[in-house]
Amino acid sequence: MDKNTANLRGLIIRKYLHQLDTADAIRLHNAIEESYTVRKMDSAFKEFILTKKTKRRIPYDQMDHLFVEYLDQKQKETKAQVTRIGVAATIAIVVACTTIGVMQNRKTSVSKTLAKNAIVITDVNGNQFAFRGDTTLQVKDGNYVISNNTLNLTTTPLACLKSIKVPNQLTFNVVLPDGSSVQMNSGSEITLNENFTKLRTVEYNGEGYFKIAQNDKAPFHVTCRNAAIQVLGTSFNVNTYHANPVVSLITGAIRVNSSNDTHTLQPGTQSVILPDGKQLLQESDSEDVISWTNGIVKFQNAPLSEIIEQVTNWYDYDLQIADNAKNLKLTTSVNKNNSLISFISSLKNTQQLDYTQEGNTIKIYKK
């Protein structure tokens, strides 16, 4: 038996029994993000728990053995279905095409053929709904109404929702069932705990500005790459765009846990999570940190490579930087409402930079 697989299986079991410490929670989160196999195993254990009610009936020391048997049985069932897949798939394609045509005639936005640059909602069964702009999505337990680029989960069903993914060039707002809100930047994804009403826990990737509704009896938890954040009632910004995630506190107080460090932040400070699990504490300008929510992002003495990495999320261009310009540090700002060419031209006018453009590709280099 693969020792690493067995260890990950143990982490998954402890996750659903709420027995993970911070370091193991981060390790499992990263494994699920990076491996389709681990994601499938996590999903399978969820089914196993619900089907067998193992949390109540099976002692912990027997759970792994029975889970392995469950996985083996699932694999046998999958193989038994292979001979029927060809015919079923053909029928499904015909039905899907017909259904999509009907849905389009009804002017709904439900679609499993994900549109390019669409916001995507995924339910707990893996069904996906793609949309752009205000609309109403028909889901199992009712409707999701998207209005003013916002999904308000205080007035719509939560039970079937798993995640929301925002593509490059778009932003999106979510009001969670407890009244907390998240403003999601381009290229971001939020995944909700399936029991969110009792355990206020989400996973986040990308950049988001959180405003948390206070509840002293149920702290709010955000897990992002290499860090776990605990809050009671506050507002803060999470940015995992770059190699070192940054958590910036705007109001209130939060505790940031990483694999080798723990810090409680005060307003106007931020924690940079380093690869070794340590945290680097810095002062931050709250207005600059959340300026992106108004379409403006400010950079203070930042490498050009870091600036372009973030700008790439907003524009439909292939941006390339010559090696001699990547480490050039700039203090500048970008207005997302202006064209990319306008920003690139401003760099050319104020710094030792120039660029060439061929179609959708822009190459930036040092003069």
Side-chain angles (χ1 to χ4, degrees):
M1 179 185 297
D2 186 326
K3 185 176 179 180
N4 186 53
T5 300
N7 289 338
L8 288 169
R9 207 168 50 239
L11 292 179
I12 289 170
I13 292 172
R14 286 164 52 205
K15 168 187 172 182
Y16 287 98
L17 297 179
H18 309 295
Q19 296 177 353
L20 283 182
D21 59 25
T22 299
D24 283 341
I26 292 172
R27 178 188 169 200
L28 180 59
H29 170 74
N30 290 340
I32 291 173
E33 284 281 310
E34 296 167 3
S35 169
Y36 173 78
T37 301
V38 180
R39 285 197 296 275
K40 289 286 287 183
M41 187 160 57
D42 180 69
S43 178
F45 188 77
K46 220 181 305 185
E47 295 175 1
F48 174 64
I49 281 280
L50 293 174
T51 302
K52 303 297 183 181
K53 296 182 179 178
T54 53
K55 288 172 97 170
R56 299 186 183 91
R57 298 182 180 179
I58 300 176
Y60 177 81
D61 59 358
Q62 298 179 29
M63 199 172 289
D64 183 64
H65 172 71
L66 293 175
F67 181 41
V68 171
E69 289 185 347
Y70 179 79
L71 291 174
D72 290 342
Q73 182 61 33
K74 291 280 287 185
Q75 188 174 22
K76 290 177 183 177
E77 291 173 359
T78 300
K79 289 181 179 179
Q81 292 173 356
V82 168
T83 56
R84 300 193 295 272
I85 285 178
V87 175
T90 303
I91 295 173
I93 290 171
V94 173
V95 172
C97 290
T98 304
T99 302
I100 289 171
V102 172
M103 289 298 187
Q104 287 175 339
N105 289 335
R106 292 180 182 176
K107 296 182 179 181
T108 69
S109 298
V110 179
S111 173
K112 290 187 180 180
T113 305
L114 302 182
K116 181 182 178 182
N117 294 331
I119 297 168
V120 177
I121 287 179
T122 302
D123 70 15
V124 293
N125 296 314
N127 299 313
Q128 295 184 311
F129 308 86
F131 62 93
R132 290 191 69 160
D134 293 349
T135 187
T136 298
L137 303 179
Q138 298 177 355
V139 296
K140 180 179 179 182
D141 298 324
N143 295 324
Y144 287 139
V145 179
I146 291 87
S147 178
N148 296 322
N149 200 41
T150 300
L151 173 60
N152 190 336
L153 293 171
T154 64
T155 58
T156 52
L158 171 69
C160 66
L161 186 136
K162 175 66 174 176
S163 67
I164 301 170
K165 189 171 185 177
V166 181
N168 290 347
Q169 304 175 53
L170 298 182
T171 60
F172 192 63
N173 306 313
V174 184
V175 180
L176 298 171
D178 65 340
S180 299
S181 64
V182 188
Q183 194 164 345
M184 302 178 66
N185 205 349
S186 306
S188 298
E189 182 173 15
I190 186 170
T191 301
L192 278 67
N193 183 297
E194 62 178 7
N195 195 17
F196 182 86
T197 53
K198 293 183 179 179
L199 297 172
R200 300 198 300 167
T201 302
V202 302
E203 295 180 11
Y204 201 84
N205 187 43
E207 183 169 29
Y209 177 41
F210 289 76
K211 294 182 180 179
I212 305 303
Q214 185 158 353
N215 183 340
D216 295 343
K217 295 181 180 179
F220 194 103
H221 296 268
V222 179
T223 302
C224 59
R225 179 162 41 87
N226 296 337
I229 306 158
Q230 178 180 328
V231 307
L232 294 175
T234 186
S235 60
F236 59 97
N237 196 80
V238 173
N239 186 339
T240 69
Y241 284 147
H242 312 298
N244 299 328
V246 180
V247 181
S248 306
L249 182 63
I250 310 302
T251 63
I254 58 176
R255 181 183 300 125
V256 181
N257 298 310
S258 56
S259 57
N260 285 321
D261 223 343
T262 297
H263 287 283
T264 299
L265 301 188
Q266 299 300 321
T269 60
Q270 62 186 22
S271 173
V272 180
I273 314 300
L274 303 176
D276 62 359
K278 293 289 186 178
Q279 299 180 40
L280 174 63
L281 298 187
Q282 300 176 336
E283 293 185 357
S284 63
D285 186 316
S286 295
E287 290 187 6
D288 286 354
V289 169
I290 62 173
S291 61
W292 69 266
T293 63
N294 295 315
I296 299 174
V297 177
K298 299 178 181 180
F299 298 95
Q300 185 71 33
N301 200 32
L304 180 61
S305 59
E306 182 178 308
I307 296 172
I308 296 303
E309 181 182 9
Q310 185 156 339
V311 168
T312 300
N313 291 322
W314 308 332
Y315 300 100
D316 190 18
Y317 283 88
D318 176 20
L319 297 177
Q320 301 176 5
I321 315 173
D323 289 340
N324 67 356
K326 288 183 178 179
N327 295 323
L328 180 65
K329 293 189 176 181
L330 307 175
T331 295
T332 185
S333 64
V334 187
N335 189 330
K336 295 170 66 175
N337 299 315
N338 296 337
S339 70
L340 175 64
I341 299 302
S342 174
F343 170 65
I344 299 296
S345 297
S346 70
L347 293 182
K348 177 180 177 179
N349 293 335
T350 59
Q351 302 292 337
Q352 299 298 313
L353 293 170
D354 207 342
Y355 71 95
T356 60
Q357 181 176 0
E358 185 175 341
N360 222 38
T361 300
I362 294 177
K363 297 181 179 179
I364 304 171
Y365 58 91
K366 196 171 181 180
K367 291 180 181 179

